[in-house]
Amino acid sequence: MADLLKDLDFYHLDDLIGQDEKMARDAVRQFVQREVIPDVERHFANETFPLELIPRMAELGIFGANLKGYGCAGMNNIAYGLIMQELEAADSGLRSFASVQSALAMYAIYSSGSEEQKQRYIPEMAKGKLIGCFGLTEPDHGSDPGGMETRARRDGDGWVLNGTKRWITNGSIADVAIVWAKVEEGITGFIVEKGTPGFTTSDIHGKFSMRASITSELVFEDVRLGKNNHLPEARGLRGPLSCLTQARYGIAWGALGAARSCYHCALDYVKSRKQFSRPLAGYQLVQRKLVDMLTEITKGQMVCLRLGQLKDSGKMRPEHVSFAKRNNVNAALEIARMARDMLGANGIVNEYPVIRHMMNLETVNTYEGTYDVQTLILGREITGESAFD
Ligand SMILES: Cc1cc2nc3c(=O)[nH]c(=O)nc-3n(C[C@H](O)[C@H](O)[C@H](O)COP(=O)(O)OP(=O)(O)OC[C@H]3O[C@@H](n4cnc5c(N)ncnc54)[C@H](O)[C@@H]3O)c2cc1C
């Protein structure tokens, strides 16, 4: 079988990446090759997440990699993106775990928490000793989180929380849930610890996508929270949306990892598979597909690299991230579907990673703002007209 993690760098973009970033990427690539790939199909088949990898991921500085202080690695955003790419070359579920831990849960506390909350939670989350999840979506509110029905009311010094969150990655394995709710003044965020009375979780089964990732429902029934559970700087929808911007950034990079794996797998396959008189790789229709794949991956890499530069220089806006998430995930999904087709019947079995990536990418296309929602964000940017309502 081909080395599915090998690089794909048609435009020599490596020349534009620093040594430290390459080292971070290569360390994660090696980890993925040795410790993730051998077992990933089993986890996908059994609907389990490889919990045993969490301490190793922490050692590699993956959790909160681009955050500064509080025990985080403080890498730049290019290094962070490259890491996400390597994780997703193995499985989108693994990258989702890292994204939720870092860009959603840790970042929510980092950007909206009190100093005491930051000191208490972020270092332990960086070590992988505390797992986080991020509860925004509800059964009846996905693309329109502003319509959320989860409510918190003041109760003396603290709060009482009621509501349901659904489709929450890491939900049942999380020690710390970031939960978004409406209060009198509007939307705000809370930190709810596992075991708090009235807080229960149940996992969603029967998924055909993201099977090596835990997805849960969170239920809050008269959950009493202290003053210290409230994120004091989380005011309005801007709170959760700023976290989504961070996560979408990692997704834009990550999806290219899955696409790269599919490309290498398809290329290897068509070089050795003979039909009619010669290898499939010798037929024009097949070459066209490979060229389309290479083109889209290379374009996506250039978008990511520039996006990372914008983020590192403080010039990145949410619309830049929407552009990259929309384009790269859509391209990755198309590449995975194309690769699946090129493998013929072998494209539907787990001897090859392609069908797993393809099914995972259906989720990646949907979560953190669907393809169409990113389109509406960009449409509003271009025209000044909001087409959401
Ligand atoms: C495996 C998995 C993990 C997830 N993890 C998390 C998590 O950790 N935390 C979390 O909070 N959420 C999570 N989600 C939820 C995810 O973010 C939502 O599924 C996503 O936002 C879409 O919401 P929805 O499923 O309710 O679809 P809907 O909002 O009902 O959308 C359905 C369709 O309608 C389209 N649509 C919606 N509004 C418009 C409009 N105005 N104009 C045109 N078309 C529109 C959408 O593009 C989509 O095609 C996860 C989802 C999955 C599948």
Side-chain angles (χ1 to χ4, degrees):
M1 184 181 292
D3 175 5
L4 301 180
L5 291 176
K6 78 178 169 217
D7 219 346
L8 177 60
D9 188 18
F10 190 67
Y11 259 40
H12 300 286
L13 296 178
D14 252 24
D15 295 351
L16 306 176
I17 295 171
Q19 274 313 317
D20 288 352
E21 291 92 81
K22 283 185 209 163
M23 270 168 60
R25 176 194 64 193
D26 294 346
V28 174
R29 186 177 291 171
Q30 211 173 59
F31 155 74
V32 161
Q33 182 82 66
R34 287 187 189 155
E35 298 174 54
V36 183
I37 296 285
D39 231 12
V40 72
E41 292 293 354
R42 183 177 67 81
H43 282 292
F44 191 88
N46 296 343
E47 277 193 276
T48 51
F49 177 80
L51 291 167
E52 63 279 7
L53 298 177
I54 296 172
R56 286 287 294 122
M57 290 167 84
E59 266 171 40
L60 288 162
I62 291 174
F63 302 137
N66 58 350
L67 302 182
K68 297 200 169 40
Y70 307 101
C72 299
M75 297 181 200
N76 70 17
N77 286 292
I78 306 272
Y80 176 78
L82 289 166
I83 288 173
M84 295 297 128
Q85 194 168 296
E86 295 310 314
L87 294 177
E88 197 149 355
D91 191 87
S92 301
L94 190 71
R95 200 267 309 135
S96 295
F97 181 92
S99 283
V100 169
Q101 176 80 350
S102 307
L104 294 179
M106 291 171 79
Y107 184 80
I109 299 171
Y110 187 82
S111 59
S112 301
S114 66
E115 189 53 36
E116 191 190 330
Q117 289 168 339
K118 291 180 201 180
Q119 301 277 0
R120 174 166 176 188
Y121 294 106
I122 299 178
E124 292 300 291
M125 294 174 89
K127 285 185 213 147
K129 298 249 167 80
L130 287 180
I131 304 307
C133 71
F134 183 88
L136 180 63
T137 304
E138 300 186 353
D140 294 328
H141 301 280
S143 299
D144 69 333
M148 70 175 66
E149 292 166 45
T150 299
R151 294 279 186 279
R153 63 175 164 79
R154 281 184 207 277
D155 181 46
D157 221 14
W159 303 84
V160 177
L161 180 69
N162 279 285
T164 302
K165 298 290 176 180
R166 192 164 164 80
W167 300 108
I168 308 307
T169 302
N170 298 348
S172 65
I173 55 170
D175 304 288
V176 179
I178 305 298
V179 181
W180 301 95
K182 273 189 185 154
V183 297
E184 245 173 61
E185 298 84 358
I187 291 170
T188 190
F190 294 90
I191 304 173
V192 185
E193 293 189 7
K194 190 178 200 152
T196 307
F199 171 30
T200 52
T201 65
S202 56
D203 288 342
I204 297 170
H205 294 291
K207 291 179 295 172
F208 282 85
S209 176
M210 291 286 185
R211 288 177 60 86
S213 170
I214 305 294
T215 317
S216 317
E217 182 166 271
L218 316 180
V219 177
F220 305 93
E221 285 174 319
D222 289 329
V223 174
R224 291 187 177 278
L225 300 172
K227 193 176 161 201
N228 292 342
N229 293 96
H230 179 229
L231 291 170
E233 304 303 325
R235 294 188 199 101
L237 203 52
R238 206 165 40 86
L241 293 188
S242 69
C243 301
L244 292 183
T245 297
Q246 304 303 313
R248 286 172 187 166
Y249 172 82
I251 291 170
W253 282 88
L256 296 178
R260 192 185 72 198
S261 287
C262 292
Y263 168 81
H264 282 311
C265 185
L267 176 60
D268 187 58
Y269 188 86
V270 296
K271 277 179 168 173
S272 61
R273 171 87 177 163
K274 279 196 183 141
Q275 287 297 289
F276 302 98
S277 55
R278 54 206 160 104
L280 289 173
Y283 293 103
Q284 291 176 354
L285 284 173
V286 173
Q287 289 187 1
R288 161 95 195 254
K289 287 175 185 156
L290 290 168
V291 171
D292 284 347
M293 289 172 162
L294 175 71
T295 305
E296 290 308 319
I297 292 170
T298 304
K299 278 155 64 178
Q301 288 170 337
M302 290 194 281
V303 167
C304 274
L305 188 58
R306 181 62 188 142
L307 187 66
Q309 290 168 344
L310 289 175
K311 193 169 186 333
D312 279 333
S313 63
K315 290 189 200 150
M316 185 187 87
R317 292 189 300 115
E319 289 78 10
H320 292 135
V321 186
S322 289
F323 179 98
K325 197 262 182 188
R326 176 180 183 272
N327 180 76
N328 289 8
V329 176
N330 185 56
L333 185 53
E334 286 303 315
I335 287 165
R337 288 171 178 162
M338 232 185 298
R340 216 281 326 134
D341 167 65
M342 289 161 79
L343 266 66
N346 281 319
I348 71 158
V349 288
N350 66 1
E351 190 184 335
Y352 300 88
V354 170
I355 185 103
R356 177 170 50 80
H357 280 305
M358 189 193 93
M359 293 195 295
N360 282 340
L361 286 165
E362 293 288 350
T363 286
V364 183
N365 195 49
T366 289
Y367 72 11
E368 310 268 349
T370 65
Y371 177 87
D372 286 339
V373 164
Q374 310 302 336
T375 308
L376 297 181
I377 291 171
L378 290 163
R380 184 180 56 193
E381 167 77 0
I382 297 166
T383 64
E385 301 277 350
S386 173
F388 280 98
D389 298 317

